Amino acid sequence: MVPAAAVLGPVGFWCALCLADSALKSSPSLKVWYEEFLTKFGISIAPFHIRWQSTFFNRFFLKLGRWKPQFLHLWFNLGMGFGVVFMFISIVLLTKTLTQTLAQMSADSPAAENQRILQVVVPGVNLPTSQLVYFFSVILLSGIIHEMGHGVAAVREQVRFNGFGVFIFVVYPGAFVDLYTNHLQLISPVQQLRIFCAGVWHNFVLALMALLVLYLLPLFLFPLYYTGIGPLVTEVAENSPALGPRGLFTAYKRLDGTTECCNNNSLVDICFSYPGNLQMPQHVCLPARKAIESSRVCQRNEDCKKEFVRSLCAKPSVENQTRLIRIKHSSPMDMLFIGHPVHLQYTVSLTNYKPRFAFLHLDIPGVIETFCKYLLSLSGALAVINAVPCFALDGQWMLNSFLEATLSSLIVEKSHRDLIGFFILLFGSALLASNVVLGLWMVTAR
């Protein structure tokens, strides 16, 4: 088996063939045929993990790695500099995310979920099932581009390229490249650093390209679509809280906050709070639409001052993270919505593009926008996670090569350099694990 250091992947997985099926054990001939079949097609199966590896793409990687050597040398030097700096930036980002998570857990009125820098994504929980195609396709594409960086950089540094493959771990897809370990150990630490930083570098560049496409999309689509005419509603999901009899459809929910001063059966009244004597909050039940349409937006009582009339600034008394939202649209009457904003985000589809020609589909710009947003988010997140100096991630090999390249003249004993690297990796691993565990708890338990 090739040592784990020779396989570079987004999460560093390397699994051996595992046959546990009782039917195969009871039939030697079937077992032999099954093993030969898997070996022939480069398939490996283990618990929760299926992997396919092939030499079919070797020629492609060799061709790319030998294309314009001077340009590739400059390209991967840029990647090396970025990777080293980003290794430390990733620690700062994870530390800040952990601080935000802990603050949100201890707060009486926690901030919105999307205010954290990084978030754990769980399909079906905080990722709607309608977005799964985008999610998994972008994860796979980001992994492939990541591994192409490792593979091309390895060929550029004269490291033997054994093969390329893809895998599925539980339900998450990914990719990997198989490099010859002895060649990796013979090249200099700086050459190793170019190879190990290439994946993070390529993910960062991919995220930048997605951002550029998002920014220039109106220009790209200008010959085919009008823009700047305001948002158009393209779809309202059947179970959306925005579904109802008024255009985008007015929807009310029973208030489930800590204070309720209206009849739960009322579909037009909601509870408002305002400062009373000694700044103790007082509550009053008001018709929502009349209260909003006849008043101005305020933050304090001074914003509502009128001559000879005492006015108070009142706000909806709603539960944490629930909002009263007013939406203006083509209908004469605005839509009022009480609930979580994310419900509107995932159940109402909007577009800022109107086709110039009848044969063009209204959803095409939205599909491109959504795909680019996922690419920006997930490829960027993959760069951050892999840059963390953590066991089994690219950051482990990046850190080891960096220490060898910078400390070998200052700390002669390799065992001492390894010890420094071990404690840094231990800290990075604990930091990443804390973010994942607490992030999962925030998503699933609250």
Side-chain angles (χ1 to χ4, degrees), residues 38-50:
L38 294 181
T39 303
K40 179 180 178 181
F41 290 96
I43 301 173
S44 296
I45 300 177
F48 311 111
H49 187 198
I50 299 177

Side-chain angles (χ1 to χ4, degrees), residues 215-406:
Y215 183 76
L216 297 178
L217 190 60
L219 180 63
F220 293 152
L221 296 179
F222 179 77
L224 302 176
Y225 290 85
Y226 296 104
T227 57
I229 58 176
L232 302 176
V233 178
T234 60
E235 181 184 2
V236 180
E238 184 177 352
N239 59 346
S240 170
L243 196 62
R246 295 188 191 276
L248 244 209
F249 307 164
T250 307
Y252 294 94
K253 285 187 174 181
R254 294 182 180 178
L255 191 62
D256 191 23
T258 55
T259 303
E260 171 61 80
C261 59
C262 294
N263 188 337
N264 280 337
N265 295 323
S266 175
L267 296 178
V268 297
D269 302 329
I270 64 172
C271 189
F272 286 81
S273 64
Y274 62 93
N277 296 331
L278 303 177
Q279 294 302 312
M280 293 295 293
Q282 302 294 314
H283 298 86
V284 60
C285 184
L286 297 174
R289 184 171 298 279
K290 184 176 180 180
I292 290 176
E293 293 180 350
S294 61
S295 305
R296 68 179 72 174
V297 177
C298 63
Q299 297 293 333
R300 52 186 182 173
N301 289 342
E302 288 75 9
D303 299 333
C304 305
K305 278 187 175 180
K306 295 181 181 179
E307 292 184 3
F308 310 111
V309 178
R310 183 178 178 230
S311 301
L312 296 173
C313 182
K315 63 179 182 179
S317 177
V318 292
E319 63 176 334
N320 293 335
Q321 300 187 32
T322 299
R323 300 289 183 267
L324 171 60
I325 300 173
R326 180 182 183 182
I327 300 177
K328 293 181 175 293
H329 57 107
S330 57
S331 175
M333 189 172 291
D334 296 341
M335 168 189 167
L336 298 184
F337 166 76
I338 294 180
H340 294 271
V342 72
H343 292 166
L344 289 179
Q345 178 183 351
Y346 289 128
T347 59
V348 178
S349 300
L350 299 176
T351 183
N352 195 38
Y353 298 87
K354 182 179 179 181
R356 293 179 182 269
F357 308 101
F359 66 87
L360 293 174
H361 201 284
L362 194 63
D363 292 337
I364 292 176
V367 170
I368 299 174
E369 275 189 328
T370 304
F371 185 83
C372 288
K373 288 177 181 178
Y374 270 91
L375 198 58
L376 173 63
S377 176
L378 295 179
S379 188
L382 194 60
V384 173
I385 299 303
N386 272 280
V388 178
C390 172
F391 292 110
L393 295 180
D394 287 349
Q396 176 181 357
W397 317 115
M398 291 164 59
L399 177 67
N400 291 340
S401 300
F402 175 73
L403 294 179
E404 289 298 315
T406 57

Side-chain angles (χ1 to χ4, degrees), residues 51-70:
R51 189 189 68 171
W52 171 77
Q53 179 177 338
S54 174
T55 59
F56 179 80
F57 300 98
N58 286 20
R59 187 181 299 273
F60 173 73
F61 277 91
L62 292 174
K63 187 175 181 179
L64 284 180
R66 294 166 182 170
W67 176 76
K68 296 189 179 299
Q70 294 302 321

Side-chain angles (χ1 to χ4, degrees), residues 115-156:
Q115 291 184 1
R116 297 205 304 274
I117 297 175
L118 298 170
Q119 299 179 39
V120 176
V121 176
V122 180
V125 179
N126 61 344
L127 177 69
T129 55
S130 60
Q131 305 281 307
L132 291 182
V133 174
Y134 293 108
F135 178 78
F136 288 119
S137 60
V138 167
I139 284 287
L140 181 59
L141 176 61
S142 300
I144 290 173
I145 298 300
H146 179 105
E147 295 308 315
M148 284 184 64
H150 288 313
V152 175
V155 173
R156 172 67 182 77

